[in-house]
Amino acid sequence: MSHHKQFYINGKWVEPKGDKTLDVINPATEEAVATIALGNKEDVDLAVSAAKNAFDSYSSTSREERIALLERVMAVFKNRMGEVAEAISIEMGAPAKLSKMAQAPSGLGHFAAALEALKEFEFEEQIGNTQVVKEPIGVCGLITPWNWPMNQLTCKIAPALATGCTMVLKPSEVAPLSALLLAEILDEAGVPAGVFNLVNGDGPTVGAAMSAHPDIDMMSFTGSTGAGRQVMQNGAQTIKRVALELGGKSANILLDDVNFEKMVAHGVMSCMNNSGQSCNAPTRMLVPNSRMDEVAAIAQATVAKVKAGDPNADDTVIGPVVSKAQWNKIQDLITAGIEEGAKVVGGGPGRPEGIDKGYYVKPTVFSHVNNEMTIAREEIFGPVLSIIGYENEDDAVRIANDTNYGLSGYVSSSDLERARKVARRIRTGMVHLNGAPLDNKAPFGGYKESGNGREWGHYGFEDFLEIKSIFGYHAKQG
């Protein structure tokens, strides 16, 4: 059991102002593995003050200085990649191989993408006699979730560092261990004092204090739509910029000409990845009504191979979900699916057979779902897939867009041009064609209640920059 009862403020590890603590629970064992201090408004004030004091000097650094800093951060990160992967697996239950192959490396990937973008980014342009300048926005408040902890930390911290901003981070109190490691990495890499600050705490206390703080110029939040709404409301008090990456209920449209054996299996496995705890997971599989029984059979055979178990076991495909509260929520939604008439193809309520401890959910697939059912409307954030039938292409697009969310979408067809046309009709910030993977140099974000703003690559710089027009800058002298 480790104890982390300090915050990283102004380049030093400091004692908190309050005395509240929280146990960090390993979801695979339900046992406490660490204790963290919980901050309060006074801790936030100190961190914001440090960031504000550091802004003048750091915002004036050159492109070359920030490039060198990112390169140092990457070098230290590489050396500690194994520690990062282990921490993620312990704090949120990701299988060790997923932590090593995807969770931890995602952090290095975002630093690399920000570095590449920084080398080419146009911070100034001339329009007539006017010089348009993109300047760092100021002190940034960053609030990150537990599901892809290092991914979400670095896709905010990297562009903030690259653009010359200073920041205060509140990582998820459920999975804070990887964030504490990242603070050590940034310190070792020589990030100047006050540029990066970390205060652990909960949303109603530390998160609210940050989003309402008059000296924080911008909030970047990733999490649930409900919590994002609260951040936006708190931020409205000071008219600060608020960038939100929120929930999703992404449709995976399999058009009638696809290889169903291949793409149904791919869709099931994509939904189950990370125990279904991804905001962009393809949780609604849309298939022709005439193929529903065939698809259900393929899905049933596929989900039977998804083994939930010990994150350190070689044959584990998915680990537990992150917490008891999350487990209970998922169980309630699975029960709702059954009660509303969806057919259980695989899985169902309760823990997987042979497991009596840990927040494990049976990998679950429902067929014959309609888009009005609770399991088709609400973000479950667990290994639960809903298969929904459609009559024709127009009906598939209508169902895909019939949601409050708009984060991602998936379209598969043996005719790429047909898939492209359908993708353009989907009202989401991202669409994957024929199983194409994410690209961390391209923008990540959504429409509607999935948020606003974009992260990743050079598009991720924009929320951290203000735009200034200097009129007459190029006027002729005399």
Side-chain angles (χ1 to χ4, degrees):
M1 180 109 165
S2 56
H3 302 281
H4 306 275
K5 297 185 179 179
Q6 292 182 314
F7 303 142
Y8 186 77
I9 297 176
N10 204 28
K12 297 177 182 178
W13 292 98
V14 301
E15 298 297 320
K17 294 301 178 183
D19 58 4
K20 290 186 177 180
T21 61
L22 179 72
D23 285 342
V24 179
I25 306 298
N26 181 335
T29 65
E30 302 184 40
E31 295 174 356
V33 291
T35 301
I36 59 168
L38 294 178
N40 58 28
K41 184 178 182 301
E42 194 175 354
D43 295 301
V44 172
D45 288 343
L46 288 172
V48 172
S49 178
K52 184 178 180 181
N53 291 336
F55 178 72
D56 281 348
S57 60
Y58 188 67
S59 63
S60 300
T61 55
S62 67
R63 185 195 304 261
E64 291 70 28
E65 287 173 305
R66 298 200 291 272
I67 287 172
L69 176 59
L70 289 175
E71 289 174 339
R72 294 198 303 273
V73 170
M74 289 174 64
V76 178
F77 194 102
K78 286 178 184 177
N79 289 336
R80 303 193 68 178
M81 184 89 78
E83 294 174 72
V84 171
E86 184 179 4
I88 292 170
S89 189
I90 290 170
E91 68 189 357
M92 57 79 63
K97 56 189 174 185
L98 179 67
S99 288
K100 291 173 183 176
M101 295 175 62
Q103 287 270 10
S106 68
L108 189 63
H110 285 303
F111 280 119
L115 174 62
E116 184 176 331
L118 176 58
K119 291 177 179 178
E120 303 294 333
F121 194 82
E122 297 292 341
F123 286 96
E124 300 194 14
E125 67 172 310
Q126 180 178 346
I127 300 176
N129 286 335
T130 301
Q131 189 73 359
V132 179
V133 181
K134 294 182 177 180
E135 300 180 336
I137 195 169
V139 176
C140 302
L142 315 178
I143 300 178
T144 58
W146 46 259
N147 60 319
W148 285 88
M150 191 54 62
N151 179 77
Q152 294 306 130
L153 290 164
T154 53
C155 75
K156 299 180 191 299
I157 292 169
L161 289 175
T163 55
C165 294
T166 60
M167 69 207 83
V168 178
L169 166 70
K170 188 204 88 65
S172 168
E173 69 274 25
V174 176
L177 304 182
S178 53
L180 290 163
L181 273 176
L182 185 57
E184 293 179 7
I185 290 168
L186 297 174
D187 182 76
E188 186 178 342
V191 172
V195 171
F196 170 83
N197 305 273
L198 181 152
V199 177
N200 278 317
D202 60 23
T205 307
V206 171
M210 288 170 59
S211 53
H213 203 290
D215 289 333
I216 287 183
D217 302 288
M218 175 266 198
M219 287 295 302
S220 178
F221 172 86
T222 299
S224 71
T225 296
R229 193 174 287 117
Q230 191 62 53
V231 171
M232 180 171 275
Q233 289 172 352
N234 291 336
Q237 298 176 46
T238 52
I239 320 296
K240 61 170 55 72
R241 183 178 300 169
V242 177
L244 303 171
E245 199 274 281
L246 308 174
K249 196 68 184 177
S250 301
N252 179 12
I253 300 175
L254 304 187
L255 294 173
D256 55 16
D257 59 355
V258 301
N259 179 330
F260 279 89
E261 194 76 37
K262 176 183 176 182
M263 295 314 297
V264 170
H266 183 274
V268 171
M269 297 306 294
S270 297
C271 181
M272 299 297 152
N273 186 44
N274 201 42
S275 299
Q277 298 171 128
S278 299
C279 52
N280 60 333
T283 53
R284 291 185 298 150
M285 182 182 287
L286 274 54
V287 304
N289 279 320
S290 61
R291 309 292 291 269
M292 176 62 73
D293 291 338
E294 175 191 354
V295 167
I298 298 169
Q300 183 177 47
T302 303
V303 78
K305 301 173 186 175
V306 180
K307 183 178 184 298
D310 180 357
N312 294 309
D314 291 339
D315 61 345
T316 290
V317 178
I318 63 172
V321 296
V322 75
S323 66
K324 184 176 182 179
Q326 190 68 15
W327 190 90
N328 287 333
K329 174 194 170 189
I330 295 165
Q331 296 305 311
D332 288 346
L333 286 164
I334 290 173
T335 299
I338 295 169
E339 291 176 347
E340 292 177 17
K343 293 186 179 180
V344 179
V345 169
R351 290 188 177 94
E353 276 197 38
I355 296 177
D356 57 8
K357 194 172 188 180
Y359 307 125
Y360 292 93
V361 174
K362 290 179 185 176
T364 298
V365 175
F366 287 100
S367 69
H368 298 81
V369 177
N370 70 62
N371 208 47
E372 299 308 311
M373 291 181 181
T374 304
I375 55 172
R377 309 302 300 182
E378 292 193 24
E379 185 179 38
I380 299 173
F381 229 62
V384 182
L385 172 65
S386 297
I387 304 176
I388 302 169
Y390 65 82
E391 283 301 312
N392 52 41
E393 192 173 293
D394 288 342
D395 192 37
V397 170
R398 177 192 65 78
I399 294 169
N401 290 335
D402 180 20
T403 172
N404 292 337
Y405 296 108
L407 184 57
S408 195
Y410 302 75
V411 180
S412 295
S413 172
S414 61
D415 179 348
L416 181 57
E417 184 56 33
R418 184 184 180 194
R420 288 169 176 161
K421 288 178 180 177
V422 172
R424 290 180 179 275
R425 299 174 67 189
I426 306 301
R427 295 287 295 165
T428 59
M430 303 172 287
V431 183
H432 299 254
L433 300 184
N434 293 326
L438 287 163
D439 179 351
N440 66 9
K441 296 173 186 175
F444 188 104
Y447 294 7
K448 299 189 283 186
E449 290 188 17
S450 288
N452 55 52
R454 291 296 182 269
E455 297 184 314
W456 301 17
H458 71 87
Y459 281 95
F461 285 21
E462 299 294 342
D463 283 325
F464 293 89
L465 296 167
E466 280 285 19
I467 300 174
K468 175 186 290 181
S469 295
I470 307 177
F471 304 110
Y473 191 94
H474 297 282
K476 293 181 180 179
Q477 294 288 328

